[in-house]
Amino acid sequence: MDIKREELEKLVGVEKVDVFYAIADMITSLYDMEQTRNNGGKKRTYEYKFRKSGKTLCAFYFKENTLGLMFVFGKDERAKVDEMKNEFSSVVVDAYDNTPTYATGNGLCSI
């Protein structure tokens, strides 16, 4: 499945697509990751995942006017993020603090 930028812009808006590409470009510049694109199931239009060795690092979810972002943090990664909170904007910290965390370490934050 190939998702065109113009289609994403119509779905969620230019600003959110710019955020998606900025994060995606950063991930691809830092890590060698498998990238998968799928339909978003019942609740979303598209899903875009970064995976390595069968494990998901993060996933983007697109639906009308919404870009969702899920990072998968283990216990050690959560501790590191907690130590670094003062380096992040209040928007990021609020989103992180108010995102439910599940037993798997997953949480979905929408912007």
Side-chain angles (χ1 to χ4, degrees):
M1 167 184 248
D2 189 26
I3 308 168
K4 301 209 181 299
R5 183 182 180 111
E6 297 79 21
E7 189 173 343
L8 292 177
E9 289 175 352
K10 286 180 187 174
L11 183 64
V12 301
V14 172
E15 185 176 306
K16 291 175 183 154
V17 173
D18 288 344
V19 168
F20 163 70
Y21 278 104
I23 296 170
D25 289 347
M26 185 182 309
I27 292 168
T28 56
S29 73
L30 296 171
Y31 304 101
D32 180 24
M33 306 287 292
E34 173 189 355
Q35 299 174 44
T36 61
R37 300 158 186 87
N38 301 297
N39 70 34
K42 293 179 183 179
K43 295 185 178 185
R44 298 168 192 97
T45 307
Y46 298 115
E47 170 189 76
Y48 193 100
K49 287 185 178 181
F50 286 88
R51 299 175 55 88
K52 186 165 188 157
S53 303
K55 295 185 179 186
T56 300
L57 167 71
C58 68
F60 293 88
Y61 298 100
F62 297 86
K63 69 177 184 178
E64 189 174 343
N65 298 316
T66 304
L67 170 61
L69 173 58
M70 177 183 69
F71 280 100
V72 180
F73 292 127
K75 184 194 283 186
D76 293 341
E77 289 86 7
R78 290 194 62 83
K80 288 176 187 176
V81 170
D82 289 337
E83 289 175 10
M84 299 171 57
K85 275 187 180 179
N86 64 338
E87 298 178 35
F88 303 127
S89 72
S90 61
V91 172
V92 171
V93 172
D94 288 345
Y96 177 81
D97 287 344
N98 293 310
T99 297
T101 301
Y102 303 99
T104 58
N106 297 347
L108 179 61
C109 176
S110 295
I111 57 173

